[in-house]
């Protein structure tokens, strides 16, 4: 996938050097700039918030999360089945190999993440749930101050309580105006 999306593979997407190196060096999100935001990993405690097994058959939960920004759901992940440590890459390419001939892939087609703009005092919420046949069970809701995020990998650890069984979240923030090659490198 990296070869296909990079300049070497001919699918360079949004083209060339976008000044991404400067964004990495500065670290913090820049006010007024738009970012891709996704959870690359969510770890849950071995028991649900009520200290019961996740599922009746003693299997691990089927994990899905949503990102809410400005009170609106802006992203919903795929479900990861039977997992206490669920992971997502942020990249997803669904195509027939014949689609590759003479075509390039744009970031909007391959990046599976929320788009949020950082403004001072801005926040996002992650709602994590255990997806079940009968009804989905809430695992926890985490609110994050966008001002505490840095470009790239951000890791947060949490204590279990009666409302949340989320142990750890790894969140990635990536500038949307970066070249596909840079985005692929940071999502690995």
């Amino acid at each position: 996938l990296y070869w296909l999306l990079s300049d070497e593979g001919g699918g360079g997407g949004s083209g060339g050097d976008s000044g991404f190196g400067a964004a990495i060096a500065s670290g913090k999100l820049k006010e007024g700039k738009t970012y891709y935001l996704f959870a690359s990993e969510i770890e849950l405690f071995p028991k649900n918030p009520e200290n019961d097994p996740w599922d009746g058959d003693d299997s691990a939960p089927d994990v899905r999360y949503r990102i809410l920004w400005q009170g609106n759901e802006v992203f919903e992940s795929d479900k990861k089945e039977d997992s206490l440590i669920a992971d997502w890459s942020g990249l997803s390419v669904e195509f027939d190999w014949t689609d590759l001939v003479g075509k390039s892939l744009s970031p909007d087609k391959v990046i599976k993440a929320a788009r949020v703009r950082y403004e001072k005092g801005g926040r996002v919420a992650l709602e994590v749930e255990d997806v079940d046949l009968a009804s989905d069970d809430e695992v926890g809701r985490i609110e994050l101050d966008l001002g505490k995020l840095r470009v790239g990998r951000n890791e947060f650890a949490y204590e279990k309580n009666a409302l949340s069984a989320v142990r750890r979240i790894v969140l990635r923030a990536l500038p949307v105006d970066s070249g596909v090659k840079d985005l692929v490198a940071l999502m690995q």
Side-chain angles (χ1 to χ4, degrees):
L1 179 61
Y2 175 77
W3 181 81
L4 290 172
L5 297 176
S6 68
D7 292 334
E8 292 84 14
S14 60
D17 182 18
S18 61
F20 191 63
I24 289 177
S26 65
K28 290 192 173 212
L29 304 188
K30 293 186 185 328
E31 197 167 340
K33 192 168 175 112
T34 304
Y35 294 87
Y36 291 115
L37 192 65
F38 75 98
S40 59
E41 191 171 281
I42 296 177
E43 181 179 356
L44 305 180
F45 285 95
K47 303 268 185 183
N48 72 16
E50 295 85 30
N51 283 322
D52 293 327
W54 285 105
D55 290 329
D57 62 357
D58 289 329
S59 64
D62 299 331
V63 183
R64 177 174 60 202
Y65 75 93
R66 289 187 248 290
I67 295 179
L68 289 83
W69 177 59
Q70 297 183 346
N72 294 282
E73 180 181 313
V74 293
F75 179 76
E76 181 177 270
S77 75
D78 293 333
K79 173 179 71 170
K80 298 296 181 166
E81 294 185 9
D82 298 328
S83 183
L84 288 176
I85 301 177
D87 64 328
W88 296 266
S89 74
L91 292 173
S92 177
V93 179
E94 297 173 16
F95 59 85
D96 187 295
W97 286 105
T98 59
D99 290 342
L100 291 177
V101 179
K103 295 184 180 180
S104 64
L105 300 171
S106 73
D108 291 333
K109 299 280 185 195
V110 298
I111 295 174
K112 303 300 178 194
R115 280 181 174 233
V116 300
R117 186 180 61 256
Y118 171 58
E119 299 294 343
K120 192 171 185 171
R123 300 181 69 77
V124 294
L126 271 77
E127 294 180 345
V128 182
E129 62 187 3
D130 174 15
V131 180
D132 292 319
L133 287 175
S135 67
D136 300 337
D137 300 320
E138 189 172 318
V139 173
R141 178 184 168 101
I142 307 296
E143 294 218 10
L144 296 166
D145 178 353
L146 289 171
K148 295 188 182 211
L149 296 180
R150 302 180 72 73
V151 171
R153 187 178 194 275
N154 298 270
E155 185 168 342
F156 303 94
Y158 302 97
E159 297 291 325
K160 186 175 181 185
N161 61 52
L163 299 175
S164 179
V166 175
R167 177 178 270 173
R168 187 174 57 87
I169 293 179
V170 177
L171 200 65
R172 294 189 188 261
L174 312 163
V176 297
D177 59 354
S178 300
V180 174
K181 186 176 180 178
D182 295 324
L183 291 171
V184 170
L186 263 183
M187 288 185 177
Q188 294 177 346

